[in-house]
Amino acid sequence: MLLWHGPVGATVSALANAVVVVGLSLFAMRQPVVPRGHAGTHLAVIGAWAVAYVLALVLGLTAFPDSVPFAVAAALVCALPAAVAARREVRAV
């Protein structure tokens, strides 16, 4: 979204997000067991991602328009909550 402006970028991004959410939801529904506390962890990860994503969009579209280095850094920051949660989950097993 930071590097591809306009309605085409918004449409492609929304469709890609929808595909990812549907795919991950189908995967999650097929799992036989849900670990204790998983809902809280999931909500925390989604909340942290949402804050990082909105901040990245606001900063990227106002202070750093069309900046590739900022877009790369923002993508890494947005991926961080899920990566941290995944790492914690692997350690717990």
Side-chain angles (χ1 to χ4, degrees):
M1 287 300 302
L2 292 177
L3 299 176
W4 196 5
H5 307 290
V8 174
T11 302
V12 170
S13 176
L15 290 174
N17 279 328
V19 167
V20 168
V21 168
V22 168
L24 289 174
S25 296
L26 290 173
F27 172 77
M29 287 188 317
R30 295 181 59 154
Q31 301 310 305
V33 176
V34 176
R36 182 179 303 271
H38 182 70
T41 300
H42 181 72
L43 290 174
V45 168
I46 295 302
W49 171 83
V51 169
Y53 185 68
V54 168
L55 239 137
L57 284 179
V58 169
L59 283 174
L61 295 174
T62 59
F64 302 99
D66 299 321
S67 170
V68 173
F70 180 80
V72 170
L76 292 173
V77 168
C78 287
L80 196 58
V84 168
R87 180 72 176 154
R88 280 186 51 208
E89 198 65 31
V90 168
R91 285 180 152 183
V93 174

